[in-house]
Amino acid sequence: MAREFCAVIGLSIKYLMRELALLLLELVQGGPNGPISAPVMGSVRQNHAVFKRFEDSLAAIADDQPLHPIGTAQQTLANLNPIPAIREKSDIITKSFIADSHDLAHGFEIEGALQVHDEQTNGGVKDIGWHKPNVEIPDPLIDGITNGHLFTMIRRFNKDVFAVQAVSPSVARGLDLNDAWSDEYSTDKLTLHLQRLYLSIVLGLASFGKQVSRLRSWKETGRTSAFCAMYFLAWILGLLTPLTLGIVMLTISSETARDTLFPPAPRALVNINTGGLQEPASGHLGTLDSLTGAPEKQEGEAIEEEAANFVRNIRHLVQRAVGMHEKEENDGDPLEGKVPKPIRKGVKAIKAKGTTDGHATEEDDQTQKPMEKDLWSKANPEKLVGVMKIAPHIVGEIVDYWERFANVISPAPPFSKLAFMRINAVLLPLFLCSFFISSYMVYKGTGFVIGLGIFGDPVLTPALQWLNQKYPNWVELIDPKNNLLCGVPTNSQLTLTLLRIGEVHKTPIPPVPTSRPDDADQQQAIDLGDVPLAASPAAKLSAIQESPTDKTEANAEERKAEPKHKRLSKITRIFKGNTKAVVESKLSIDHVRAKAGSDKAKGHLGVLPKPKNLVYAGPSHLKARLDGKQGWLYITEGARPVLLYTTKDPRPNSKDAGNLEPLVAIEVEGIKQLKRATAFVGKPAEMAADWSSDKELLGSVEVEDGNGKMWRFTALPERDELFNRLIALGGQKWLNL
């Protein structure tokens, strides 16, 4: 860079010197503006020879000859030139803006167990711990992410992403797996997005509220005093806005600064009302990140259960609010079924009482029916259905933005750690301007904006029309995920990238460990000094651990409550047994129907196998059925992997390993659509079988090949693992349906 810089400067100086010489010669010979005055002309003529020799010397210099030898000057400029360092940093930031999941997976040099294992694979796919206990799986598989956190993300991914479609790269620029806003799965999406909302937004806001309570309580005297002094000093000096923006920029930029200013504490131990220590709702501290402190057998299970209960309780509250639990006979009211029951009951109460305050007439009110129809015509079922179809996507978009912002502040490999600079680049001008912008200027500006919004229609409407004509996609361009948060992943996009890293290193990530009722709860190793709450060590220990007295009382309550629910338990067991018998009868009938040629019945065969018949193989060999026939799925190795279905055992130690005779061959790169399907086609049958049977219900995977044909592989013990391998192995860009 320094060499080119010096060459450009040298040529520029040479050109200027030539032009100056030509100008002087023109003056000597008589310029275009006539002869020069005699004194000046004489002086110029006396130096004519000098200028002539100077021109000859310039002409003798070759265009590619440097004006000075390459030496100290260029070396000094090269040492002082900041352009290479700036260019390197800008390239890193630019690449993070246009991050592609495939490129990140191939270009990421990990330091975890996957890389070490990749060096030992010799080009073949290896098993690093499929269906093995956690202690036998190397930790971490990917550097920078613990196995517990990795499996938590994959467990959530298995729920949130169940149907994807391949799209062209032009449609899915940057990171893929964006939401398609499809109405096909809107009902299922609403539940899942509400659970995500709890896991990200509700828990985050709860942590923020508890931090504020801790500051307000003055129980942490030193920290509260420091914040109080800073606040009122900034208030006296008129620097509250710079102080706020500065703290925001500092907390975004540095995790150390966040933990120093706002020391984290277990959520379940902080009382949001008093800001002090409290006993967890579960009785003892089993987890650090949950609101209840409930114990868990695998990392992340406690908050997942909290999220499921959160959504379930919200559903019950909404149902009760709109009267869905009530069953009243239709009394002939023309508004029956159109007006929500609480409103209708209120109207009936008013009728029974007489009239409401403010009514001009007491009898023959001609406005009541028209007003009811007019007000509640906008809440009819047809319009509510449209709103309910859009609601899941809106909730999903809100959660996506929250997750992207969280991944900016706390990025995970392989995404850039400099993504926070984008937000700081927006806040820094505001921070600098806040020193010069007075409250009066803000007041006047706000008044102008309000006036423009009320009276500026003659200007705003033509401006908006011009904007729509010149830049039709301007709404898409100002979307934060396409500029400020471009290249920043949601949790699903991050998980997909991590799965692709495993495929790139020929070592697929093992399945998520499952917990059983007899598994022991995880024990939290908590140092009392790491609990930054103003309480004595004895009080902290009492809140963290479950005392023997509490255990005795809990056991006594259970024994006391047992007779109370004994009859209900018997009734539940009777219903469960009856449902189980119905499901088994249906499956027996399906065997007969399958032999008769029913395709639907063939798909139900083998979905409730006996535990001894379950086969867990992986990562490339997976037990499956096609059209009811038992077989195997095999993912081949190589540059262009193929998904094969065969009735013979493809495992290396099998006698049929060299002669598979596949019945189906699907090129992974050509897959157009993937779906995690249920075991039964009908959802009620699926729910009944899952509730009544203690056996594992085996799901299905639907694969659309390059020719548009849909294949449904059923009775898969490793359904999620097959789906995750297929979605991560190919080079497609996916759209989340």
Side-chain angles (χ1 to χ4, degrees), residues 358-596:
H359 278 245
T361 59
E362 301 215 357
E363 296 180 357
D364 194 21
D365 187 355
Q366 301 295 324
T367 64
Q368 180 177 344
K369 293 292 183 182
M371 284 299 295
E372 288 178 356
K373 292 181 180 179
D374 185 39
L375 289 175
W376 296 108
S377 62
K378 304 187 185 309
N380 59 54
E382 291 79 8
K383 294 186 178 181
L384 288 177
V385 167
V387 173
M388 292 304 296
K389 287 183 178 180
I390 299 176
H393 305 296
I394 295 176
V395 175
E397 283 290 314
I398 294 173
V399 179
D400 285 346
Y401 282 121
W402 188 281
E403 291 179 352
R404 289 188 179 99
F405 185 77
N407 288 327
V408 165
I409 298 176
S410 301
F415 290 89
S416 173
K417 295 182 179 180
L418 302 176
F420 69 90
M421 295 179 64
R422 307 179 190 177
I423 300 179
N424 283 350
V426 176
L427 296 178
L428 182 60
L430 300 177
F431 173 75
L432 297 176
C433 291
S434 64
F435 287 97
F436 309 103
I437 297 177
S438 63
S439 57
Y440 177 76
M441 297 171 64
V442 175
Y443 166 74
K444 296 294 286 186
T446 304
F448 174 77
V449 171
I450 293 174
L452 184 64
I454 297 175
F455 306 107
D457 185 71
V459 176
L460 296 178
T461 300
L464 187 60
Q465 293 176 351
W466 175 85
L467 195 62
N468 291 330
Q469 293 175 356
K470 294 293 183 180
Y471 306 98
N473 60 336
W474 68 272
V475 176
E476 182 180 348
L477 292 176
I478 65 174
D479 192 338
K481 69 181 179 184
N482 295 325
N483 44 70
L484 185 63
L485 298 177
C486 182
V488 179
T490 63
N491 290 347
S492 295
Q493 292 172 332
L494 172 60
T495 306
L496 176 59
T497 305
L498 297 176
L499 292 172
R500 284 170 173 164
I501 290 175
E503 298 296 339
V504 167
H505 288 82
K506 306 295 183 183
T507 312
I509 296 176
V512 177
T514 56
S515 58
R516 295 168 183 161
D518 55 347
D519 291 342
D521 294 332
Q522 289 187 351
Q523 300 297 324
Q524 299 293 338
I526 304 173
D527 188 357
L528 296 181
D530 295 335
V531 180
L533 298 176
S536 64
K540 293 179 181 179
L541 190 62
S542 175
I544 292 173
Q545 297 180 352
E546 186 176 11
S547 64
T549 305
D550 294 337
K551 291 183 179 179
T552 305
E553 292 178 355
N555 294 333
E557 288 179 0
E558 289 180 0
R559 288 193 298 269
K560 184 178 179 181
E562 186 175 354
K564 181 179 178 181
H565 302 287
K566 198 170 183 180
R567 184 175 299 176
L568 180 60
S569 300
K570 287 183 178 180
I571 296 174
T572 303
R573 284 197 297 269
I574 292 173
F575 277 111
K576 194 171 184 180
N578 292 339
T579 306
K580 182 179 180 180
V582 171
V583 171
E584 292 177 350
S585 300
K586 174 179 171 50
L587 291 177
S588 300
I589 296 173
D590 283 339
H591 277 81
V592 178
R593 295 176 58 213
K595 292 180 180 179

Side-chain angles (χ1 to χ4, degrees), residues 107-355:
F108 180 57
E109 296 182 0
I110 64 174
E111 300 294 337
L114 292 184
Q115 186 184 41
V116 176
H117 205 72
D118 185 23
E119 297 172 354
Q120 305 171 359
T121 58
N122 297 323
V125 175
K126 294 297 181 181
D127 182 354
I128 199 174
W130 280 56
H131 308 296
K132 293 181 180 179
N134 289 349
V135 294
E136 299 183 21
I137 301 176
D139 192 358
L141 291 169
I142 298 177
D143 188 38
I145 304 176
T146 63
N147 282 3
H149 185 49
L150 175 63
F151 290 140
T152 298
M153 290 193 295
I154 296 177
R155 186 189 302 113
R156 190 68 230 176
F157 181 84
N158 293 341
K159 296 178 182 179
D160 293 334
V161 181
F162 52 83
V164 295
Q165 182 179 7
V167 294
S168 63
S170 60
V171 175
R173 297 187 300 271
L175 297 174
D176 56 337
L177 207 64
N178 294 304
D179 195 4
W181 281 60
S182 173
D183 296 336
E184 184 177 359
Y185 308 106
S186 59
T187 304
D188 297 327
K189 287 284 186 180
L190 180 59
T191 300
L192 294 172
H193 288 328
L194 286 175
Q195 291 179 2
R196 292 176 58 213
L197 183 140
Y198 177 86
L199 294 171
S200 53
I201 299 179
V202 173
L203 289 180
L205 293 178
S207 297
F208 175 76
K210 296 194 175 191
Q211 285 285 352
V212 174
S213 297
R214 288 166 58 188
L215 279 175
R216 293 182 64 248
S217 67
W218 281 91
K219 289 182 170 61
E220 302 172 48
T221 310
R223 190 164 67 100
T224 305
S225 300
F227 271 89
C228 180
M230 284 192 302
Y231 181 89
F232 283 104
L233 180 61
W235 175 73
I236 293 172
L237 299 176
L239 299 175
L240 277 179
T241 302
L243 175 64
T244 303
L245 292 175
I247 291 178
V248 170
M249 293 173 62
L250 186 62
T251 53
I252 288 175
S253 305
S254 173
E255 183 179 359
T256 304
R258 286 198 299 272
D259 294 342
T260 302
L261 294 174
F262 307 100
R267 292 189 179 109
L269 291 182
V270 182
N271 190 316
I272 196 169
N273 296 320
T274 64
L277 185 69
Q278 71 173 5
E279 182 180 345
S282 62
H284 68 285
L285 188 64
T287 48
L288 303 179
D289 55 352
S290 64
L291 288 179
T292 61
E296 60 188 4
K297 296 174 173 57
Q298 302 291 339
E299 183 176 336
E301 286 184 345
I303 57 176
E304 289 278 353
E305 290 296 330
E306 286 184 354
N309 291 325
F310 170 78
V311 175
R312 188 180 301 113
N313 291 330
I314 284 184
R315 184 186 296 116
H316 291 165
L317 290 174
V318 171
Q319 289 174 348
R320 290 173 182 172
V322 299
M324 292 180 64
H325 289 296
E326 301 175 9
K327 295 182 179 180
E328 296 180 357
E329 296 294 333
N330 192 333
D331 57 359
D333 190 346
L335 297 179
E336 184 76 28
K338 298 180 181 179
V339 179
K341 290 184 179 179
I343 304 300
R344 191 167 60 253
K345 290 172 67 176
V347 172
K348 291 179 180 178
I350 293 172
K351 287 181 179 179
K353 180 181 177 182
T355 61

